[in-house]
Amino acid sequence: NAFNNLALMYARQGKYNDALYIYEKGIEHNPDAALLYNNRGNIYFEIGNYVEALKNFKKASDLDPTYSERLYHLGISNYLKEESVIDDAIKNLEQLAKKNMHKAKDIHDLGVAYMERRMYDKAIESFNKAINIDPNYLSAFINLGFAYQYKEDYVKAIQAFEKAIILNPRSAKLYNTIGLLYDKMGKPDTAVIAYKKAVNLDPTYKNSHYMLGQLYQNRGNFDKAIAEFTKHIRIVEYGPTVDDCMQRIAEMKNMTFEQVKEL
């Protein structure tokens, strides 16, 4: 219960990485706790990682059959593998949505299935219907934003994400996503504002530090760029983005990669 409650507090603040870390530790100590798997699945579903969400819902359902209904409603990533499976899922969800025209969750899930099939216009229609039923449906606003992003309609995508921020004002991920979109639109000044908001909310949000570093480097502001790349390195510690950050620092400081790595 302590692990679960602490993770839920982080999730309500939009600190999903912290919440996932607490659930991981909780499961290490309580490997048969269906509640922890189920609620970790909720976090993954909230951030759009449907593959991990499904794994956790399945585990929760195996441990406690009372979670099987949750698995049925949220296991959208079942539809990720084969197009024929997605098509079958869409048919089933369309029938379910017709029977429950005022049930926002079923209509939202149909929208997610449409997105997996790259039927973005239908997905947008479904998410808007879900929002009309429930104006506080956070996931519907987030997925609406992604649907517009896939259509490269960045203005409408940002509008959807901004509405999601009203419902979840402490989400570093949402601000980071908005920063990425402004970056794609060629508006670096506005992108910097969004990235800064993300790291102010969550100083460990590695992607925003990485993107800020690139923007500062492109502007010739090497001191700020190096500071942001260094923060990213300290958080991530190893991997391709860390190597890229060290290479960029080496170029800006006129050092070798190995010298930067040693530092």
Side-chain angles (χ1 to χ4, degrees), residues 236-255:
V236 181
E237 296 186 349
Y238 62 90
T241 58
V242 168
D243 291 342
D244 182 63
C245 286
M246 288 194 288
Q247 185 61 52
R248 288 172 179 269
I249 292 173
E251 292 172 2
M252 288 184 282
K253 294 179 72 70
N254 293 318
M255 299 170 66

Side-chain angles (χ1 to χ4, degrees), residues 8 17 41 47 102 117 142 148-149 165 191 196 229 247:
L8 288 175
N17 289 336
I47 64 178
H102 299 292
R117 199 65 173 82
I142 292 173
Y148 278 124
Q149 181 179 344
I165 284 176
K196 281 186 175 180
F229 287 138
Q247 185 61 52

Side-chain angles (χ1 to χ4, degrees), residues 23-175:
Y23 280 126
E24 180 183 348
K25 292 300 178 184
I27 288 170
E28 286 179 10
H29 292 280
N30 306 274
D32 296 325
L35 175 67
L36 296 179
Y37 284 103
N38 182 76
N39 288 353
R40 185 168 70 170
N42 286 335
I43 299 296
Y44 278 123
F45 187 83
E46 188 68 28
I47 64 178
N49 190 337
Y50 301 120
V51 173
E52 289 301 321
L54 179 61
K55 290 179 183 177
N56 281 272
F57 291 134
K58 278 186 174 179
K59 182 66 176 179
S61 180
D62 290 341
L63 291 169
D64 185 345
T66 60
Y67 289 102
S68 59
E69 183 178 354
R70 191 72 167 153
L71 170 65
Y72 170 75
H73 283 297
L74 298 182
I76 297 303
S77 56
N78 264 326
Y79 318 137
L80 293 173
K81 299 297 182 183
E82 299 178 6
E83 290 186 355
S84 60
V85 178
I86 301 174
D87 291 338
D88 289 341
I90 288 174
K91 290 178 182 177
N92 292 334
L93 287 167
E94 284 176 341
Q95 292 301 316
L96 192 61
K98 287 178 181 178
K99 294 177 182 178
N100 301 282
M101 286 304 295
H102 299 292
K103 194 171 181 181
K105 185 69 181 66
D106 292 335
I107 297 172
H108 167 271
D109 288 355
L110 175 60
V112 173
Y114 281 138
M115 274 223 295
E116 297 300 339
R117 199 65 173 82
R118 296 181 177 83
M119 301 166 68
Y120 300 127
D121 290 332
K122 283 184 173 291
I124 289 168
E125 182 181 355
S126 292
F127 295 137
N128 279 321
K129 284 181 179 178
I131 291 166
N132 287 335
I133 297 169
D134 182 358
N136 296 317
Y137 203 151
L138 177 61
S139 293
F141 280 113
I142 292 173
N143 284 320
L144 178 63
F146 283 125
Y148 278 124
Q149 181 179 344
Y150 295 143
K151 285 174 61 68
E152 298 185 355
D153 190 339
Y154 299 139
V155 172
K156 288 185 178 179
I158 290 170
Q159 290 172 349
F161 288 129
E162 286 177 339
K163 290 177 181 177
I165 284 176
I166 294 173
L167 298 173
N168 188 11
R170 297 194 60 79
S171 173
K173 179 180 175 63
L174 286 172
Y175 280 104

Side-chain angles (χ1 to χ4, degrees), residues 165-227:
I165 284 176
I166 294 173
L167 298 173
N168 188 11
R170 297 194 60 79
S171 173
K173 179 180 175 63
L174 286 172
Y175 280 104
N176 180 76
T177 302
I178 289 173
L180 290 169
L181 292 174
Y182 277 121
D183 216 347
K184 289 183 177 181
M185 293 169 65
K187 296 184 177 181
D189 291 338
T190 313
V192 166
I193 294 171
Y195 290 138
K196 281 186 175 180
K197 184 67 176 179
V199 295
N200 286 337
L201 287 169
D202 183 359
T204 67
Y205 202 84
K206 58 184 183 296
N207 191 63
S208 289
H209 289 300
Y210 183 59
M211 298 307 297
L212 276 171
Q214 291 187 52
L215 286 173
Y216 286 137
Q217 183 182 9
N218 292 338
R219 292 175 167 191
N221 195 334
F222 292 164
D223 288 340
K224 285 187 176 181
I226 291 169

